[in-house]
């Protein structure tokens, strides 16, 4: 069983910063991709940023230059540093990881419980 524990959400004024963390633990031998998604009220869940096992990162156009994704493989943790926050960044942010439960098994995908980020104007 894979557990994802997210932290770092909260309320911040426009222009402020927040750092989200997501720590993975449980039954896996390897983490492939790690990513952050978000879902605003009445909208579909969207990819914010991703970090592959090979070190490639990608970002939604709306957050490029403001958000930075990073990962610490020694801690099985992915981070999302968010700066210059805007009211339109308000959403529930979800961690997503793709892991190998065992080398003989295919990858499985898992979601965190979500953390609320609210940006006031």
């Amino acid at each position: 069983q894979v557990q994802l524990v997210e932290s770092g959400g909260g309320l911040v004024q426009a222009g402020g910063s927040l750092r989200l963390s997501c720590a993975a633990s449980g039954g896996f031998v390897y983490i492939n991709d790690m990513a952050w998604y978000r879902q605003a009220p009445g909208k579909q869940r969207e990819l914010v940023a991703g970090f592959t096992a090979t070190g490639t990162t990608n970002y939604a156009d709306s957050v490029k230059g403001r958000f930075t994704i990073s990962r610490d493989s020694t801690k099985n943790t992915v981070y999302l540093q968010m700066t210059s926050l805007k009211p339109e960044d308000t959403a529930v942010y979800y961690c997503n990881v793709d892991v190998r439960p065992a080398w003989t098994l295919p990858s499985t995908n898992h979601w965190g419980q979500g953390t609320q980020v609210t940006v006031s104007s």
Side-chain angles (χ1 to χ4, degrees):
Q1 191 75 6
V2 177
Q3 293 87 39
L4 300 177
V5 178
E6 301 172 3
S7 61
L11 173 64
V12 64
Q13 288 188 331
S17 300
L18 283 174
R19 188 193 194 208
L20 305 182
S21 300
C22 173
S25 62
F28 56 86
V29 296
Y30 187 74
I31 300 178
N32 295 318
D33 301 343
M34 306 183 85
W36 287 96
Y37 287 73
R38 67 185 180 187
Q39 187 167 19
K43 295 188 177 181
Q44 288 189 331
R45 191 171 298 189
E46 64 174 355
L47 176 67
V48 177
F51 200 127
T52 70
T54 58
T56 301
T57 59
N58 62 290
Y59 296 91
D61 288 342
S62 60
V63 307
K64 283 181 181 176
R66 299 188 299 121
F67 291 11
T68 303
I69 189 171
S70 60
R71 62 190 281 177
D72 184 337
S73 297
T74 65
K75 297 180 180 179
N76 295 327
T77 299
V78 62
Y79 304 96
L80 186 67
Q81 180 67 50
M82 306 184 291
T83 63
S84 302
L85 283 160
K86 305 175 181 180
E88 50 263 44
D89 294 318
T90 295
V92 177
Y93 284 70
Y94 296 91
C95 173
N96 179 270
V97 299
D98 195 80
V99 306
R100 293 290 296 273
W103 293 117
T104 56
L105 296 174
S107 297
T108 57
N109 192 267
H110 305 269
W111 292 92
Q113 79 281 4
T115 185
Q116 177 70 47
V117 171
T118 303
V119 184
S120 63
S121 57

